[in-house]
PDB file of all heavy atoms in Angstrom:
ATOM      1  N   GLY A  97      63.298   5.220  25.613  1.00 92.00           N
ATOM      2  CA  GLY A  97      64.665   4.709  25.703  1.00 92.00           C
ATOM      3  C   GLY A  97      65.007   3.984  26.994  1.00 92.00           C
ATOM      4  O   GLY A  97      66.117   3.475  27.139  1.00 92.00           O
ATOM      5  N   TYR A  98      64.088   3.915  27.929  1.00 96.00           N
ATOM      6  CA  TYR A  98      64.371   3.306  29.238  1.00 96.00           C
ATOM      7  C   TYR A  98      64.469   1.779  29.128  1.00 96.00           C
ATOM      8  O   TYR A  98      63.617   1.133  28.526  1.00 96.00           O
ATOM      9  CB  TYR A  98      63.256   3.687  30.218  1.00 96.00           C
ATOM     10  CG  TYR A  98      63.413   3.094  31.607  1.00 96.00           C
ATOM     11  CD1 TYR A  98      64.397   3.546  32.467  1.00 96.00           C
ATOM     12  CD2 TYR A  98      62.561   2.088  32.047  1.00 96.00           C
ATOM     13  CE1 TYR A  98      64.534   3.020  33.744  1.00 96.00           C
ATOM     14  CE2 TYR A  98      62.678   1.554  33.324  1.00 96.00           C
ATOM     15  CZ  TYR A  98      63.672   2.022  34.165  1.00 96.00           C
ATOM     16  OH  TYR A  98      63.790   1.491  35.412  1.00 96.00           O
ATOM     17  N   ILE A  99      65.518   1.226  29.704  1.00 96.00           N
ATOM     18  CA  ILE A  99      65.727  -0.227  29.734  1.00 96.00           C
ATOM     19  C   ILE A  99      65.567  -0.690  31.181  1.00 96.00           C
ATOM     20  O   ILE A  99      66.193  -0.129  32.079  1.00 96.00           O
ATOM     21  CB  ILE A  99      67.164  -0.592  29.274  1.00 96.00           C
ATOM     22  CG1 ILE A  99      67.515   0.075  27.944  1.00 96.00           C
ATOM     23  CG2 ILE A  99      67.350  -2.110  29.235  1.00 96.00           C
ATOM     24  CD1 ILE A  99      66.965  -0.593  26.723  1.00 96.00           C
ATOM     25  N   ALA A 100      64.737  -1.723  31.387  1.00 97.00           N
ATOM     26  CA  ALA A 100      64.489  -2.181  32.757  1.00 97.00           C
ATOM     27  C   ALA A 100      65.760  -2.741  33.375  1.00 97.00           C
ATOM     28  O   ALA A 100      66.389  -3.626  32.807  1.00 97.00           O
ATOM     29  CB  ALA A 100      63.405  -3.248  32.753  1.00 97.00           C
ATOM     30  N   PRO A 101      66.159  -2.230  34.561  1.00 96.00           N
ATOM     31  CA  PRO A 101      67.372  -2.735  35.216  1.00 96.00           C
ATOM     32  C   PRO A 101      67.119  -3.999  36.047  1.00 96.00           C
ATOM     33  O   PRO A 101      68.046  -4.576  36.574  1.00 96.00           O
ATOM     34  CB  PRO A 101      67.797  -1.572  36.118  1.00 96.00           C
ATOM     35  CG  PRO A 101      66.550  -0.812  36.391  1.00 96.00           C
ATOM     36  CD  PRO A 101      65.613  -1.047  35.240  1.00 96.00           C
ATOM     37  N   TYR A 102      65.874  -4.417  36.174  1.00 96.00           N
ATOM     38  CA  TYR A 102      65.558  -5.645  36.913  1.00 96.00           C
ATOM     39  C   TYR A 102      64.215  -6.169  36.413  1.00 96.00           C
ATOM     40  O   TYR A 102      63.500  -5.473  35.690  1.00 96.00           O
ATOM     41  CB  TYR A 102      65.504  -5.378  38.422  1.00 96.00           C
ATOM     42  CG  TYR A 102      64.380  -4.449  38.857  1.00 96.00           C
ATOM     43  CD1 TYR A 102      63.191  -4.965  39.362  1.00 96.00           C
ATOM     44  CD2 TYR A 102      64.494  -3.065  38.744  1.00 96.00           C
ATOM     45  CE1 TYR A 102      62.154  -4.130  39.747  1.00 96.00           C
ATOM     46  CE2 TYR A 102      63.470  -2.225  39.126  1.00 96.00           C
ATOM     47  CZ  TYR A 102      62.292  -2.753  39.628  1.00 96.00           C
ATOM     48  OH  TYR A 102      61.273  -1.933  40.005  1.00 96.00           O
ATOM     49  N   SER A 103      63.890  -7.412  36.792  1.00 98.00           N
ATOM     50  CA  SER A 103      62.604  -7.996  36.417  1.00 98.00           C
ATOM     51  C   SER A 103      61.649  -7.966  37.592  1.00 98.00           C
ATOM     52  O   SER A 103      62.053  -8.194  38.733  1.00 98.00           O
ATOM     53  CB  SER A 103      62.778  -9.460  35.992  1.00 98.00           C
ATOM     54  OG  SER A 103      63.365  -9.534  34.717  1.00 98.00           O
ATOM     55  N   GLY A 104      60.382  -7.694  37.298  1.00 98.00           N
ATOM     56  CA  GLY A 104      59.338  -7.767  38.320  1.00 98.00           C
ATOM     57  C   GLY A 104      59.187  -9.195  38.819  1.00 98.00           C
ATOM     58  O   GLY A 104      59.588 -10.152  38.143  1.00 98.00           O
ATOM     59  N   MET A 105      58.601  -9.327  40.032  1.00 98.00           N
ATOM     60  CA  MET A 105      58.463 -10.648  40.627  1.00 98.00           C
ATOM     61  C   MET A 105      57.600 -11.577  39.767  1.00 98.00           C
ATOM     62  O   MET A 105      57.923 -12.753  39.598  1.00 98.00           O
ATOM     63  CB  MET A 105      57.878 -10.511  42.040  1.00 98.00           C
ATOM     64  CG  MET A 105      57.807 -11.800  42.823  1.00 98.00           C
ATOM     65  SD  MET A 105      59.360 -12.725  42.884  1.00 98.00           S
ATOM     66  CE  MET A 105      60.346 -11.661  43.951  1.00 98.00           C
ATOM     67  N   ALA A 106      56.494 -11.070  39.219  1.00 98.00           N
ATOM     68  CA  ALA A 106      55.622 -11.909  38.387  1.00 98.00           C
ATOM     69  C   ALA A 106      56.400 -12.426  37.175  1.00 98.00           C
ATOM     70  O   ALA A 106      56.252 -13.586  36.767  1.00 98.00           O
ATOM     71  CB  ALA A 106      54.394 -11.119  37.939  1.00 98.00           C
ATOM     72  N   ILE A 107      57.257 -11.563  36.621  1.00 98.00           N
ATOM     73  CA  ILE A 107      58.064 -11.945  35.456  1.00 98.00           C
ATOM     74  C   ILE A 107      59.063 -13.035  35.844  1.00 98.00           C
ATOM     75  O   ILE A 107      59.213 -14.043  35.125  1.00 98.00           O
ATOM     76  CB  ILE A 107      58.803 -10.698  34.909  1.00 98.00           C
ATOM     77  CG1 ILE A 107      57.802  -9.707  34.320  1.00 98.00           C
ATOM     78  CG2 ILE A 107      59.887 -11.088  33.899  1.00 98.00           C
ATOM     79  CD1 ILE A 107      57.063 -10.179  33.094  1.00 98.00           C
ATOM     80  N   LYS A 108      59.729 -12.859  36.986  1.00 98.00           N
ATOM     81  CA  LYS A 108      60.707 -13.873  37.426  1.00 98.00           C
ATOM     82  C   LYS A 108      60.031 -15.224  37.583  1.00 98.00           C
ATOM     83  O   LYS A 108      60.586 -16.259  37.207  1.00 98.00           O
ATOM     84  CB  LYS A 108      61.323 -13.464  38.763  1.00 98.00           C
ATOM     85  CG  LYS A 108      62.363 -12.370  38.655  1.00 98.00           C
ATOM     86  CD  LYS A 108      63.014 -12.168  40.034  1.00 98.00           C
ATOM     87  CE  LYS A 108      63.550 -10.765  40.176  1.00 98.00           C
ATOM     88  NZ  LYS A 108      63.637 -10.342  41.572  1.00 98.00           N
ATOM     89  N   LYS A 109      58.842 -15.218  38.160  1.00 98.00           N
ATOM     90  CA  LYS A 109      58.150 -16.480  38.391  1.00 98.00           C
ATOM     91  C   LYS A 109      57.748 -17.140  37.077  1.00 98.00           C
ATOM     92  O   LYS A 109      57.839 -18.362  36.933  1.00 98.00           O
ATOM     93  CB  LYS A 109      56.915 -16.245  39.276  1.00 98.00           C
ATOM     94  CG  LYS A 109      57.286 -15.890  40.710  1.00 98.00           C
ATOM     95  CD  LYS A 109      56.054 -15.728  41.582  1.00 98.00           C
ATOM     96  CE  LYS A 109      56.484 -15.464  43.018  1.00 98.00           C
ATOM     97  NZ  LYS A 109      55.579 -16.039  44.002  1.00 98.00           N
ATOM     98  N   LEU A 110      57.298 -16.341  36.126  1.00 98.00           N
ATOM     99  CA  LEU A 110      56.920 -16.903  34.826  1.00 98.00           C
ATOM    100  C   LEU A 110      58.145 -17.414  34.074  1.00 98.00           C
ATOM    101  O   LEU A 110      58.097 -18.438  33.392  1.00 98.00           O
ATOM    102  CB  LEU A 110      56.175 -15.851  33.991  1.00 98.00           C
ATOM    103  CG  LEU A 110      54.779 -15.488  34.506  1.00 98.00           C
ATOM    104  CD1 LEU A 110      54.229 -14.272  33.772  1.00 98.00           C
ATOM    105  CD2 LEU A 110      53.817 -16.669  34.362  1.00 98.00           C
ATOM    106  N   GLN A 111      59.243 -16.680  34.225  1.00 98.00           N
ATOM    107  CA  GLN A 111      60.499 -17.110  33.597  1.00 98.00           C
ATOM    108  C   GLN A 111      60.940 -18.459  34.166  1.00 98.00           C
ATOM    109  O   GLN A 111      61.320 -19.361  33.427  1.00 98.00           O
ATOM    110  CB  GLN A 111      61.588 -16.072  33.866  1.00 98.00           C
ATOM    111  CG  GLN A 111      62.208 -15.512  32.611  1.00 98.00           C
ATOM    112  CD  GLN A 111      62.816 -14.134  32.842  1.00 98.00           C
ATOM    113  OE1 GLN A 111      62.953 -13.663  33.976  1.00 98.00           O
ATOM    114  NE2 GLN A 111      63.177 -13.493  31.744  1.00 98.00           N
ATOM    115  N   ASP A 112      60.862 -18.584  35.492  1.00 98.00           N
ATOM    116  CA  ASP A 112      61.221 -19.849  36.130  1.00 98.00           C
ATOM    117  C   ASP A 112      60.334 -20.988  35.638  1.00 98.00           C
ATOM    118  O   ASP A 112      60.762 -22.136  35.548  1.00 98.00           O
ATOM    119  CB  ASP A 112      61.098 -19.753  37.656  1.00 98.00           C
ATOM    120  CG  ASP A 112      62.192 -18.879  38.255  1.00 98.00           C
ATOM    121  OD1 ASP A 112      63.167 -18.579  37.535  1.00 98.00           O
ATOM    122  OD2 ASP A 112      62.057 -18.478  39.432  1.00 98.00           O
ATOM    123  N   ALA A 113      59.069 -20.659  35.329  1.00 98.00           N
ATOM    124  CA  ALA A 113      58.134 -21.682  34.846  1.00 98.00           C
ATOM    125  C   ALA A 113      58.378 -22.021  33.383  1.00 98.00           C
ATOM    126  O   ALA A 113      57.762 -22.937  32.842  1.00 98.00           O
ATOM    127  CB  ALA A 113      56.695 -21.216  35.053  1.00 98.00           C
ATOM    128  N   GLY A 114      59.271 -21.269  32.729  1.00 98.00           N
ATOM    129  CA  GLY A 114      59.623 -21.580  31.334  1.00 98.00           C
ATOM    130  C   GLY A 114      58.792 -20.865  30.288  1.00 98.00           C
ATOM    131  O   GLY A 114      58.846 -21.199  29.101  1.00 98.00           O
ATOM    132  N   ALA A 115      58.025 -19.838  30.711  1.00 98.00           N
ATOM    133  CA  ALA A 115      57.199 -19.103  29.754  1.00 98.00           C
ATOM    134  C   ALA A 115      58.076 -18.296  28.794  1.00 98.00           C
ATOM    135  O   ALA A 115      59.206 -17.934  29.125  1.00 98.00           O
ATOM    136  CB  ALA A 115      56.239 -18.174  30.488  1.00 98.00           C
ATOM    137  N   ILE A 116      57.536 -18.019  27.617  1.00 98.00           N
ATOM    138  CA  ILE A 116      58.222 -17.209  26.605  1.00 98.00           C
ATOM    139  C   ILE A 116      57.587 -15.823  26.598  1.00 98.00           C
ATOM    140  O   ILE A 116      56.366 -15.706  26.581  1.00 98.00           O
ATOM    141  CB  ILE A 116      58.009 -17.816  25.196  1.00 98.00           C
ATOM    142  CG1 ILE A 116      58.302 -19.306  25.205  1.00 98.00           C
ATOM    143  CG2 ILE A 116      58.727 -17.020  24.125  1.00 98.00           C
ATOM    144  CD1 ILE A 116      59.648 -19.709  24.767  1.00 98.00           C
ATOM    145  N   PHE A 117      58.409 -14.772  26.610  1.00 98.00           N
ATOM    146  CA  PHE A 117      57.861 -13.425  26.464  1.00 98.00           C
ATOM    147  C   PHE A 117      57.998 -13.025  25.004  1.00 98.00           C
ATOM    148  O   PHE A 117      59.105 -12.866  24.498  1.00 98.00           O
ATOM    149  CB  PHE A 117      58.580 -12.442  27.380  1.00 98.00           C
ATOM    150  CG  PHE A 117      58.465 -12.834  28.830  1.00 98.00           C
ATOM    151  CD1 PHE A 117      59.596 -13.031  29.614  1.00 98.00           C
ATOM    152  CD2 PHE A 117      57.211 -13.046  29.394  1.00 98.00           C
ATOM    153  CE1 PHE A 117      59.483 -13.408  30.941  1.00 98.00           C
ATOM    154  CE2 PHE A 117      57.086 -13.426  30.722  1.00 98.00           C
ATOM    155  CZ  PHE A 117      58.225 -13.613  31.492  1.00 98.00           C
ATOM    156  N   ILE A 118      56.850 -12.874  24.348  1.00 98.00           N
ATOM    157  CA  ILE A 118      56.875 -12.672  22.899  1.00 98.00           C
ATOM    158  C   ILE A 118      56.982 -11.187  22.539  1.00 98.00           C
ATOM    159  O   ILE A 118      57.537 -10.823  21.509  1.00 98.00           O
ATOM    160  CB  ILE A 118      55.639 -13.345  22.245  1.00 98.00           C
ATOM    161  CG1 ILE A 118      55.840 -13.546  20.748  1.00 98.00           C
ATOM    162  CG2 ILE A 118      54.362 -12.593  22.537  1.00 98.00           C
ATOM    163  CD1 ILE A 118      54.907 -14.555  20.126  1.00 98.00           C
ATOM    164  N   GLY A 119      56.474 -10.324  23.423  1.00 98.00           N
ATOM    165  CA  GLY A 119      56.571  -8.891  23.142  1.00 98.00           C
ATOM    166  C   GLY A 119      55.873  -8.078  24.207  1.00 98.00           C
ATOM    167  O   GLY A 119      55.255  -8.635  25.118  1.00 98.00           O
ATOM    168  N   ARG A 120      56.024  -6.737  24.085  1.00 98.00           N
ATOM    169  CA  ARG A 120      55.345  -5.865  25.058  1.00 98.00           C
ATOM    170  C   ARG A 120      54.197  -5.147  24.357  1.00 98.00           C
ATOM    171  O   ARG A 120      54.302  -4.752  23.187  1.00 98.00           O
ATOM    172  CB  ARG A 120      56.316  -4.897  25.723  1.00 98.00           C
ATOM    173  CG  ARG A 120      57.028  -3.973  24.775  1.00 98.00           C
ATOM    174  CD  ARG A 120      58.142  -3.194  25.490  1.00 98.00           C
ATOM    175  NE  ARG A 120      58.927  -2.475  24.506  1.00 98.00           N
ATOM    176  CZ  ARG A 120      58.742  -1.180  24.209  1.00 98.00           C
ATOM    177  NH1 ARG A 120      57.833  -0.482  24.832  1.00 98.00           N
ATOM    178  NH2 ARG A 120      59.473  -0.601  23.285  1.00 98.00           N
ATOM    179  N   THR A 121      53.105  -4.999  25.107  1.00 98.00           N
ATOM    180  CA  THR A 121      51.862  -4.551  24.479  1.00 98.00           C
ATOM    181  C   THR A 121      51.535  -3.100  24.805  1.00 98.00           C
ATOM    182  O   THR A 121      51.894  -2.561  25.845  1.00 98.00           O
ATOM    183  CB  THR A 121      50.685  -5.434  24.931  1.00 98.00           C
ATOM    184  OG1 THR A 121      50.636  -5.457  26.360  1.00 98.00           O
ATOM    185  CG2 THR A 121      50.844  -6.850  24.407  1.00 98.00           C
ATOM    186  N   ASN A 122      50.779  -2.533  23.895  1.00 98.00           N
ATOM    187  CA  ASN A 122      50.361  -1.135  23.984  1.00 98.00           C
ATOM    188  C   ASN A 122      49.378  -0.941  25.140  1.00 98.00           C
ATOM    189  O   ASN A 122      48.728  -1.894  25.580  1.00 98.00           O
ATOM    190  CB  ASN A 122      49.705  -0.731  22.663  1.00 98.00           C
ATOM    191  CG  ASN A 122      49.662   0.773  22.463  1.00 98.00           C
ATOM    192  OD1 ASN A 122      50.326   1.531  23.169  1.00 98.00           O
ATOM    193  ND2 ASN A 122      48.881   1.213  21.485  1.00 98.00           N
ATOM    194  N   MET A 123      49.262   0.277  25.589  1.00 98.00           N
ATOM    195  CA  MET A 123      48.408   0.595  26.736  1.00 98.00           C
ATOM    196  C   MET A 123      48.158   2.094  26.761  1.00 98.00           C
ATOM    197  O   MET A 123      48.835   2.853  26.078  1.00 98.00           O
ATOM    198  CB  MET A 123      49.123   0.179  28.033  1.00 98.00           C
ATOM    199  CG  MET A 123      50.508   0.823  28.197  1.00 98.00           C
ATOM    200  SD  MET A 123      51.421   0.238  29.645  1.00 98.00           S
ATOM    201  CE  MET A 123      50.601   1.192  30.923  1.00 98.00           C
ATOM    202  N   ASP A 124      47.187   2.503  27.567  1.00 98.00           N
ATOM    203  CA  ASP A 124      47.061   3.934  27.834  1.00 98.00           C
ATOM    204  C   ASP A 124      48.267   4.373  28.649  1.00 98.00           C
ATOM    205  O   ASP A 124      48.724   3.653  29.536  1.00 98.00           O
ATOM    206  CB  ASP A 124      45.778   4.213  28.622  1.00 98.00           C
ATOM    207  CG  ASP A 124      44.532   4.035  27.782  1.00 98.00           C
ATOM    208  OD1 ASP A 124      44.334   4.847  26.871  1.00 98.00           O
ATOM    209  OD2 ASP A 124      43.776   3.079  28.038  1.00 98.00           O
ATOM    210  N   GLU A 125      48.765   5.572  28.348  1.00 98.00           N
ATOM    211  CA  GLU A 125      49.963   6.079  29.008  1.00 98.00           C
ATOM    212  C   GLU A 125      49.844   5.972  30.534  1.00 98.00           C
ATOM    213  O   GLU A 125      48.863   6.440  31.119  1.00 98.00           O
ATOM    214  CB  GLU A 125      50.172   7.541  28.598  1.00 98.00           C
ATOM    215  CG  GLU A 125      51.465   8.120  29.135  1.00 98.00           C
ATOM    216  CD  GLU A 125      51.697   9.554  28.685  1.00 98.00           C
ATOM    217  OE1 GLU A 125      50.931  10.090  27.861  1.00 98.00           O
ATOM    218  OE2 GLU A 125      52.674  10.160  29.191  1.00 98.00           O
ATOM    219  N   PHE A 126      50.827   5.334  31.161  1.00 98.00           N
ATOM    220  CA  PHE A 126      50.838   5.101  32.609  1.00 98.00           C
ATOM    221  C   PHE A 126      49.551   4.432  33.105  1.00 98.00           C
ATOM    222  O   PHE A 126      49.133   4.626  34.241  1.00 98.00           O
ATOM    223  CB  PHE A 126      51.127   6.386  33.392  1.00 98.00           C
ATOM    224  CG  PHE A 126      52.575   6.803  33.300  1.00 98.00           C
ATOM    225  CD1 PHE A 126      52.948   7.886  32.532  1.00 98.00           C
ATOM    226  CD2 PHE A 126      53.560   6.078  33.955  1.00 98.00           C
ATOM    227  CE1 PHE A 126      54.295   8.246  32.413  1.00 98.00           C
ATOM    228  CE2 PHE A 126      54.898   6.443  33.846  1.00 98.00           C
ATOM    229  CZ  PHE A 126      55.264   7.522  33.070  1.00 98.00           C
ATOM    230  N   ALA A 127      48.916   3.670  32.219  1.00 98.00           N
ATOM    231  CA  ALA A 127      47.691   2.912  32.561  1.00 98.00           C
ATOM    232  C   ALA A 127      46.516   3.823  32.879  1.00 98.00           C
ATOM    233  O   ALA A 127      45.596   3.431  33.583  1.00 98.00           O
ATOM    234  CB  ALA A 127      47.950   1.920  33.695  1.00 98.00           C
ATOM    235  N   MET A 128      46.551   5.039  32.348  1.00 98.00           N
ATOM    236  CA  MET A 128      45.466   5.988  32.592  1.00 98.00           C
ATOM    237  C   MET A 128      44.552   6.056  31.382  1.00 98.00           C
ATOM    238  O   MET A 128      44.807   6.822  30.444  1.00 98.00           O
ATOM    239  CB  MET A 128      46.040   7.373  32.856  1.00 98.00           C
ATOM    240  CG  MET A 128      46.887   7.445  34.113  1.00 98.00           C
ATOM    241  SD  MET A 128      47.522   9.112  34.282  1.00 98.00           S
ATOM    242  CE  MET A 128      48.514   8.956  35.749  1.00 98.00           C
ATOM    243  N   GLY A 129      43.492   5.254  31.413  1.00 97.00           N
ATOM    244  CA  GLY A 129      42.544   5.321  30.311  1.00 97.00           C
ATOM    245  C   GLY A 129      41.797   4.024  30.142  1.00 97.00           C
ATOM    246  O   GLY A 129      42.106   3.019  30.786  1.00 97.00           O
ATOM    247  N   SER A 130      40.803   4.039  29.271  1.00 97.00           N
ATOM    248  CA  SER A 130      39.925   2.888  29.073  1.00 97.00           C
ATOM    249  C   SER A 130      39.793   2.536  27.602  1.00 97.00           C
ATOM    250  O   SER A 130      38.811   1.931  27.190  1.00 97.00           O
ATOM    251  CB  SER A 130      38.539   3.192  29.648  1.00 97.00           C
ATOM    252  OG  SER A 130      38.656   3.608  30.989  1.00 97.00           O
ATOM    253  N   SER A 131      40.777   2.920  26.783  1.00 98.00           N
ATOM    254  CA  SER A 131      40.638   2.693  25.339  1.00 98.00           C
ATOM    255  C   SER A 131      41.968   2.495  24.609  1.00 98.00           C
ATOM    256  O   SER A 131      41.957   2.203  23.423  1.00 98.00           O
ATOM    257  CB  SER A 131      39.913   3.887  24.709  1.00 98.00           C
ATOM    258  OG  SER A 131      40.741   5.040  24.748  1.00 98.00           O
TER     259      SER A 131
END
Side-chain angles (χ1 to χ4, degrees):
Chain A
Y98 179 71
I99 309 280
Y102 65 98
S103 286
M105 186 51 70
I107 293 294
K108 284 186 206 155
K109 290 183 176 214
L110 291 170
Q111 237 156 11
D112 289 346
I116 311 263
F117 301 123
I118 198 162
R120 60 189 171 98
T121 54
N122 200 13
M123 56 185 282
D124 289 292
E125 185 178 354
F126 286 107
M128 296 179 182
S130 306
S131 69

